[in-house]
């Protein structure tokens, strides 16, 4: 169900509406919760694989899912990675560039405004940690128009709801990504004419959705 969402700062500095889509599990999907430390349930991963790796008339692209445990120095060496091959029943892949899905559990994200920066002598994004460094490295891995999907959700800090989306989008744009779409992934199942919530363990009270940001790599100048 697409809905326009006002985006106040696009890559070109102008304001334009971006589509927001709501994803619900199908009645036959298992009522599973995200794995420990993860953001998305299995049904959402399957839907991502269907929606973003398959194009009519083109070979299927592999999906690479990474789970970012923290954004401190050396984060890449501690990041678990799972590859869903282009052909599910084999390890054969195609020449299509992979779709990169990064899950950022809210408990692992630094507080807004507390993102460390590198020294002026460092190559931008090369040794930099925190969100900016991650996005610069991800941009170098993807081809032009390659997709980076970012999954996270809100959390509560000292009783106040903290939304990381603004800081993440700003860091992504600085690294050369375009923000295309916002997908709301509902943690719940249809029950007659209502939705029965199945919130993830540790989620703030009343929070039954996660956010999936769809980003596209822009060609470097």
């Amino acid at each position: 169900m697409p809905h326009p969402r006002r985006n106040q700062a696009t890559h070109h500095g102008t304001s334009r509406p971006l589509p927001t889509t709501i994803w619900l599990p199908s009645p036959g999907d298992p009522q599973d919760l995200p794995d420990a430390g993860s953001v998305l349930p299995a049904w959402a991963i399957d839907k991502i694989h269907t929606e973003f790796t398959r194009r009519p008339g083109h070979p299927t692209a592999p999906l690479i899912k990474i789970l970012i445990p923290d954004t401190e120095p050396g984060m890449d060496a501690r990041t678990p990675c799972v590859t869903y091959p282009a052909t599910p029943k084999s390890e054969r892949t195609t020449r299509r560039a992979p779709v990169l899905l990064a899950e950022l559990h809210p408990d692992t994200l630094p507080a807004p405004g507390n993102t460390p920066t590198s020294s002026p002598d460092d190559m931008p994004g090369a040794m930099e940690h925190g969100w900016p460094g991650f996005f610069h490295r991800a941009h170098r891995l993807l081809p032009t128009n390659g997709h980076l999907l970012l999954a996270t959700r809100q959390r509560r800090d000292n009783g106040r709801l903290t939304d990381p989306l603004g800081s993440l989008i700003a860091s992504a744009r600085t690294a050369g990504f375009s923000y295309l779409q916002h997908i709301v992934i509902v943690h719940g199942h249809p029950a007659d004419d209502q939705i029965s919530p199945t919130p993830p363990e540790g989620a703030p009270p009343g929070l039954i959705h996660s956010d999936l940001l769809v980003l596209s790599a822009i060609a470097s100048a």
Side-chain angles (χ1 to χ4, degrees):
M1 295 182 294
H3 299 278
R5 180 175 183 268
R6 179 60 60 182
N7 176 31
Q8 296 181 352
T10 66
H11 179 74
H12 299 288
T14 60
S15 179
R16 62 185 179 88
L18 284 178
T20 297
T21 303
I22 298 176
W23 281 5
L24 278 167
S26 300
D29 288 329
Q31 298 188 31
D32 55 344
L33 298 176
D35 294 334
S38 297
V39 176
L40 303 178
W43 69 262
I45 303 294
D46 291 341
K47 190 170 179 63
I48 287 171
H49 197 276
T50 300
E51 295 287 335
F52 289 98
T53 67
R54 301 173 184 175
R55 293 170 52 195
H58 293 78
T60 303
L63 173 68
I64 298 178
K65 182 173 79 73
I66 59 176
L67 177 61
I68 299 179
D70 62 78
T71 52
E72 297 303 316
M75 58 180 287
D76 293 349
R78 296 185 297 274
T79 300
C81 175
V82 177
T83 299
Y84 299 83
T87 305
K89 294 183 179 181
S90 73
E91 293 301 319
R92 183 177 65 85
T93 59
T94 68
R95 292 186 178 182
R96 280 192 62 192
V99 175
L100 182 59
L101 167 63
E103 288 190 289
L104 305 182
H105 192 281
D107 292 343
T108 68
L109 295 172
N114 196 30
T115 304
T117 58
S118 57
S119 69
D121 296 330
D122 288 336
M123 180 184 300
M127 301 299 294
E128 191 175 5
H129 51 294
W131 300 341
F134 163 74
F135 284 115
H136 278 286
R137 293 190 293 276
H139 189 274
R140 286 197 294 272
L141 288 173
L142 294 171
T144 301
N145 298 324
H147 283 125
L148 169 63
L149 310 181
L150 202 66
T152 189
R153 61 176 179 264
Q154 297 171 328
R155 69 181 186 188
R156 287 192 183 277
D157 293 315
N158 299 320
R160 299 185 63 181
L161 196 64
T162 300
D163 188 346
L165 299 187
S167 296
L168 291 172
I169 293 170
S171 294
R173 285 200 177 102
T174 300
F177 283 97
S178 172
Y179 175 32
L180 301 181
Q181 188 178 12
H182 176 207
I183 298 175
V184 174
I185 297 177
V186 176
H187 296 288
H189 275 75
D192 297 327
D193 60 347
Q194 299 180 350
I195 296 176
S196 176
T198 55
E201 182 178 355
L207 183 65
I208 62 166
H209 81 276
S210 292
D211 299 287
L212 184 68
L213 305 181
V214 182
L215 307 168
S216 177
I218 303 172
S220 301

